[in-house]
Amino acid sequence: MKPQRLNPKPLLLALAASFALAACSVGPDYVRPQMDEQLGNAPAVFKEGQNWKPAQPRELSADGKWWEMFEDAQLNALVEQVDISNQNLALAEANFRSAMALVQSARAAYSPTLDASASATRSRSGSSSSSTGSAGVRNTYSFALNASWEADVWGSVRRSVEASQASAQASAADLAAARLSAQAALAQDYLQLRVLDAQQKLFDETVAAYQRSYRLTQNQYAAGTVAKSDVIQAQSQLKSAQAQALDNGVSRAQLEHAIALLVGKTPSTFSLPPAPLAAVAPPIPQGVPSMLLERRPDVAAAERRVAAANAKIGVAKAAYFPSLTLSASGGYQSSSFADWFSLPGRVWSLGPQLAQSIFDGGARRAATAQAIAAYDGTVAQYKQAVLTAFQAVEDNLAALRILEQEAAVQDEALQSARQAVVLVTNQYKAGTVSYVNVITAQATALAAERSALDILNRRMAASVLLATALGGGWDEKSLADLAPLAEQSEAKAKGLKENAALR
């Protein structure tokens, strides 16, 4: 019998059909959620600034060293250590590498699979041959290569790759968010620690002043010009100031330990000697465009998760359509080891396979509904992230503006309190006022000093939080670089409105 030739026509038709449909992708194409339409015309400007526009997350650019605006060399050196030693960043970086591996795994579905198998078996059938006496025993040697490829007719693979790429981008934004969070936490802790150093210096000077007042009352009492109560009051005031000075050390030690953790060191091997507060509060930015919000990694991550969820809808809908698999296999099979790879033992098969699920009890419908619900959830998270970003900027711009005014008023109050201490002390020495007046004036001055330091600490913290809210600070260069992008965005928005009006 002559060997039958393979008719290639059905296979060629299947290949042509698969490539013709290769550009087809079911499911919705991704469109970034619009804040204005969904939230009832969200305001385009902030209360605390002008020339702002609604944010649209774009690729993160976090090269700017925003912490350098405080002009503190020690702070700069510490922040540089965050990338090297912080374990939370190491975890986020590992998650990012895992997400990138998933992208490669999804892309692998574009390629065919090739498997190889080899076997040697000895078997016995149930009947025996009386003529040969072999009892149906035979040997079988086989070797085969099997190849298969599922055509991405309905775009399921493309949607899967799209989803994995968006998820990887979200993971990259998570890494940037973890880095920014660690940098901000370190900056806040460090600046607060330096404020505590300044407060410790204040307490030390206050204790020294109270000791002089205590000696003054002792001398006045020894001369018989004041009562014993003045000495006791001065001593009580001195001991109270000493206790406050000691308590200040508790907060400083805890902040030092927190900084050690952020730079990946144990508290026992890390220390920051007391030093004057060298950092300066940066000025309030004027007219910061809201495009800086596009650098916020949490907003970027939320937007990328929306894109991933959108692509997964396409994956779920592709399950409604039949799948086309092209498979081929070839090899050798023989009952004799010597003739295993001989030409008569050659075997092969080739052909397409079309598969379609007829009934699944509603599983595909449920999977699609779940994918749509997951998409709606990520949209809500994205919008919430944008709204939270706007709130954070508003909060800290307001805080900086008000605290700057409060600092000016508090400085005037402090100067008056210092003058009052000098005047009342001189009056007490002259015997014209009681020591209660001295205690009151000194307590008022100490409270004014502490209030001034507290305002400074809050201004520093608000500056760090504003830098975080803006995705990594601001400077003149960043504002200049973003100006063309703002003009392009405004022109695009104007064009969309004009097209909508024409419709």
Side-chain angles (χ1 to χ4, degrees):
M1 181 182 292
K2 293 182 178 180
Q4 295 181 351
R5 292 185 177 181
L6 173 68
N7 184 3
K9 188 174 182 180
L11 179 60
L12 293 176
L13 290 175
L15 286 171
S18 64
F19 285 114
L21 294 173
C24 177
S25 294
V26 297
D29 292 330
Y30 176 65
V31 178
R32 180 179 294 131
Q34 297 297 318
M35 296 297 295
D36 287 350
E37 297 176 2
Q38 300 294 335
L39 297 179
N41 296 323
V45 296
F46 286 93
K47 289 181 180 179
E48 300 297 330
Q50 299 297 324
N51 301 322
W52 295 70
K53 72 169 191 64
Q56 296 176 345
R58 62 184 177 88
E59 185 178 357
L60 183 66
S61 176
D63 296 332
K65 298 181 179 181
W66 58 267
W67 54 89
E68 292 183 352
M69 65 184 177
F70 293 101
E71 300 179 7
D72 189 305
Q74 181 69 65
L75 174 61
N76 298 342
L78 288 172
V79 175
E80 293 293 341
Q81 298 180 41
V82 170
D83 276 343
I84 300 173
S85 305
N86 188 272
Q87 298 306 307
N88 289 331
L89 288 186
L91 172 61
E93 190 273 336
N95 291 336
F96 171 66
R97 286 189 284 109
S98 175
M100 291 300 295
L102 290 177
V103 174
Q104 183 61 36
S105 177
R107 284 177 174 169
Y110 283 128
S111 305
T113 59
L114 179 63
D115 301 322
S117 63
S119 65
T121 60
R122 183 176 177 82
S123 61
R124 181 182 184 279
S125 63
S127 61
S128 62
S129 174
S130 58
S131 61
T132 60
S134 61
V137 176
R138 61 176 297 178
N139 298 324
T140 302
Y141 302 92
S142 64
F143 172 81
L145 291 175
N146 304 301
S148 65
W149 176 63
E150 182 175 347
D152 188 25
V153 178
W154 311 110
S156 175
V157 176
R158 286 191 296 280
R159 292 300 192 191
S160 296
V161 172
E162 182 182 333
S164 60
Q165 286 176 332
S167 296
Q169 291 167 346
S171 182
D174 288 337
L175 174 58
R179 178 181 293 109
L180 181 59
S181 177
Q183 292 169 346
L186 188 144
Q188 281 187 291
D189 290 346
Y190 174 82
L191 293 172
Q192 186 177 356
L193 182 141
R194 289 308 181 208
V195 170
L196 290 179
D197 284 345
Q199 188 165 276
Q200 187 65 49
K201 180 182 178 183
L202 169 63
F203 281 132
D204 293 341
E205 293 174 350
T206 301
V207 167
Y210 287 178
Q211 286 176 336
R212 291 193 295 271
S213 297
Y214 178 51
R215 288 194 295 269
L216 174 62
T217 57
Q218 287 180 318
N219 295 334
Q220 296 279 59
Y221 174 70
T225 57
V226 300
K228 179 68 173 179
S229 59
D230 289 359
V231 178
I232 296 175
Q233 288 177 329
Q235 185 181 32
S236 174
Q237 186 184 40
L238 171 61
K239 295 301 180 181
S240 176
Q242 290 174 337
Q244 292 180 62
L246 291 173
D247 186 71
N248 191 67
V250 176
S251 299
R252 190 191 188 282
Q254 292 174 346
L255 286 172
E256 189 177 71
H257 300 162
I259 294 172
L261 183 63
L262 288 168
V263 297
K265 297 181 179 179
T266 58
S268 60
T269 60
F270 179 82
S271 64
L272 282 174
L277 180 62
V280 295
I284 301 174
Q286 297 294 330
V288 180
S290 63
M291 289 192 73
L292 283 175
L293 286 180
E294 299 174 17
R295 305 190 310 177
R296 277 185 63 123
D298 58 337
V299 174
E303 187 271 338
R304 288 290 82 201
R305 288 189 171 92
V306 175
N310 181 82
K312 290 177 181 178
I313 296 176
V315 175
K317 288 188 174 182
Y320 282 100
F321 301 94
S323 61
L324 175 63
T325 303
L326 306 178
S327 59
S329 64
Y332 295 88
Q333 182 174 326
S334 176
S335 59
S336 171
F337 182 81
D339 298 329
W340 188 355
F341 292 98
S342 62
L343 186 62
R346 184 177 62 179
V347 294
W348 57 266
S349 67
L350 179 66
Q353 178 184 357
L354 197 64
Q356 169 68 54
S357 178
I358 303 300
F359 177 75
D360 61 5
R364 287 171 295 179
R365 187 184 304 110
T368 303
Q370 188 274 335
I372 294 174
Y375 169 80
D376 292 339
T378 57
V379 170
Q381 291 176 336
Y382 165 67
K383 293 176 181 177
Q384 185 64 29
V386 173
L387 291 174
T388 302
F390 274 83
Q391 179 192 2
V393 174
E394 289 277 19
D395 288 348
N396 291 289
L397 279 174
L400 285 173
R401 177 179 59 82
I402 296 170
L403 287 172
E404 186 176 25
Q405 298 171 358
E406 185 179 357
V409 175
Q410 182 61 37
D411 185 64
E412 295 176 0
L414 178 58
Q415 298 303 322
S416 298
R418 289 172 176 171
Q419 292 177 6
V421 170
V422 175
L423 293 174
V424 173
T425 302
N426 291 333
Q427 291 173 349
Y428 175 72
K429 291 178 180 179
T432 58
V433 298
S434 66
Y435 194 70
V436 173
N437 298 82
V438 177
I439 292 177
T440 302
Q442 289 176 336
T444 302
L446 178 59
E449 296 275 9
R450 297 189 64 179
S451 294
L453 288 174
D454 178 66
I455 293 172
L456 176 60
N457 181 48
R458 291 164 61 192
R459 289 179 67 189
M460 294 291 188
S463 297
V464 173
L465 292 175
L466 181 59
T468 306
L470 294 174
W474 68 89
D475 54 32
E476 293 181 1
K477 183 178 183 302
S478 67
L479 300 182
D481 291 343
L482 288 173
L485 295 175
E487 294 175 0
Q488 294 174 10
S489 179
E490 291 174 2
K492 183 179 179 181
K494 183 179 179 180
L496 292 174
K497 290 180 180 179
E498 292 176 352
N499 291 336
L502 292 175
R503 295 193 193 101

